[in-house]
Every structure is written in structure tokens, then in C-alpha cells.
Amino acid sequence: FPVRTDPNDKRIFDEMDRAAKERQAAEPNKPPYKPELTAKVQEMSDKRQFNDPSFFCKPLGVPRAGAPSQIVQTPNQVVFLYQGRNTFRVIPTDGRPHRADADESWMGDSVGRWEGDTLVIESRNFTDESWLGADGWIHSYDMVVVERVTRQGNLLTWKATVTDPKVFTKPWEMTPRMVRLNPDPKAMLEEDPPCREVDAPHIVTDDHH
């Protein structure tokens, strides 16, 4: 017989919280925060249902968004398209410097260059509202992200190094992500439905999962 669970049974959420905290503790590649920020990061994580910007229809930002869902290349730029909230980035590859008048943004101001068959992207001028991950991984305005994107056959490898001397003790190399490309020439990204935040007004405890 199927096992039925009572959605009002708080033990279910307690167990999900316990599992989430175990996963967080077991993460082998955490950002190297300065000791004085450890408590703040933990507090942000413990209350992430109130603090995580992605819960409130904000962009994931760079580098949290990871590898793009589609890449469009022209002679002087590449465009990264992301499935989810219709996010995109336009990255010049013609040797121009970062814009001097760039405002802080979720995706940052990016410039790219080629090192052999690897696209190297340096991004800066980020808002400090975005997170690096779901466990309260914050950063400052001074964050700089260097991404390396390499294609071998139909496998795309995405790597990123985050430098933020205001909050880190050293640069942080994120765990690489690999994406298998869709060889279908007719494949297209579908338009994302509008993001509507409807849960926040109803959150009254620190339970999360």
C-alpha cells in the first residue's frame, strides 16, 4: 500500500532541514570566507527563505547561473542565453576593455578573449545582492569572476574562479560543470513563464528545505 504523509506533520520538514544541513556541511568546495564572516554566512543560510534573492524572482547572476543554455557567436561578441527568467549576457570578444561607466548589475560587465579553443570571460561591476550559491554564499561589490568555457565534441566544460578580497582569504575555484550539447539543429529555447513570488508573505518560521 502507498505510504501517506501528513503535510501538516512538522517532522517531515524537520527531516528535510536536517538533510539540507548535512548536505551543506558535506560540501567539499566551499568559498574561503574570512573568519569574521563565518557567522554571517551561516545566518544567511539558516534564514535563506527570507534572504536568498532567487526566492523572490531575482536573477541567479554570475557565477551562480553556471553554464549557459545556448551560445550565439559573431565575429566580435558572444551571447549567452540562460533557460530561466529569460536571462542573457552580451560579451565582447574584440579586445575592448571593461566599460568605465558600467553600473553594478546581476550579470556584471563582461569582456572575453580566446586562449586557444577556450573562451575566457572576465566579469566585474556586480551588485552585491546576488549570491554565489544557495547556502548564504554572499560577496561584495569588488567581486571579479573569470570563467573558462571549453568545448570538446558535444561536451561543454564551464569553470569559474571568483576573487573577492573583501570577503575571501584567497580566490575560489568553483567546481567545474559539464553540459552535453544538443546536436539537434532545430532545438530552441522556450520562453520562460513569468516568475511570480507568492510564498514570501506566508513564511512565518525558519523552516526550509
Side-chain angles (χ1 to χ4, degrees):
F1 296 96
V3 177
R4 298 184 181 275
T5 58
D6 182 358
N8 296 316
D9 188 346
K10 190 176 183 300
R11 290 175 298 177
I12 298 172
F13 297 100
D14 288 343
E15 176 62 22
M16 296 175 77
D17 272 356
R18 183 194 62 76
K21 289 179 180 179
E22 287 184 356
R23 175 197 56 77
Q24 177 184 357
E27 169 58 52
N29 186 19
K30 298 183 179 69
Y33 286 104
K34 294 181 176 180
E36 60 268 27
L37 292 174
T38 301
K40 179 179 180 180
V41 172
Q42 187 62 54
E43 180 183 8
M44 297 292 279
S45 177
D46 290 344
K47 297 181 179 296
R48 59 181 174 266
Q49 69 272 33
F50 301 107
N51 298 319
D52 188 340
S54 72
F55 287 179
F56 302 93
C57 295
K58 301 292 182 63
L60 290 179
V62 174
R64 187 176 179 182
S69 303
Q70 184 174 350
I71 299 175
V72 179
Q73 182 177 352
T74 71
N76 295 318
Q77 64 185 20
V78 294
V79 180
F80 281 8
L81 305 175
Y82 297 85
Q83 188 77 58
R85 304 179 194 175
N86 300 310
T87 307
F88 70 93
R89 298 164 66 192
V90 178
I91 305 165
T93 56
D94 57 2
R96 74 183 70 176
H98 289 280
R99 292 176 295 156
D101 59 348
D103 294 325
E104 290 89 4
S105 65
W106 293 87
M107 310 307 283
D109 177 54
S110 302
V111 294
R113 67 181 187 276
W114 289 96
E115 293 183 358
D117 58 356
T118 297
L119 176 62
V120 181
I121 305 163
E122 181 181 288
S123 304
R124 56 183 65 192
N125 288 97
F126 292 101
T127 174
D128 67 348
E129 293 183 59
S130 62
W131 282 14
L132 303 175
D135 290 326
W137 292 351
I138 56 176
H139 65 86
S140 78
Y141 286 115
D142 291 346
M143 178 177 73
V144 175
V145 180
V146 176
E147 301 162 90
R148 288 177 167 82
V149 184
T150 306
R151 176 178 177 177
Q152 293 180 321
N154 282 335
L155 191 67
L156 191 76
T157 300
W158 176 89
K159 300 179 180 180
T161 300
V162 183
T163 302
D164 192 340
K166 279 193 174 180
V167 299
F168 289 173
T169 59
K170 61 181 180 179
W172 177 47
E173 293 187 9
M174 298 180 65
T175 303
R177 304 181 191 179
M178 289 178 285
V179 180
R180 189 163 297 280
L181 304 181
N182 185 349
D184 184 356
K186 296 183 179 180
M188 296 183 63
L189 296 183
E190 297 183 1
E191 182 177 353
D192 298 302
C195 180
R196 296 177 59 247
E197 168 48 50
V198 296
D199 294 327
H202 306 290
I203 300 176
V204 294
T205 73
D206 289 342
D207 295 331
H208 57 270
H209 52 81

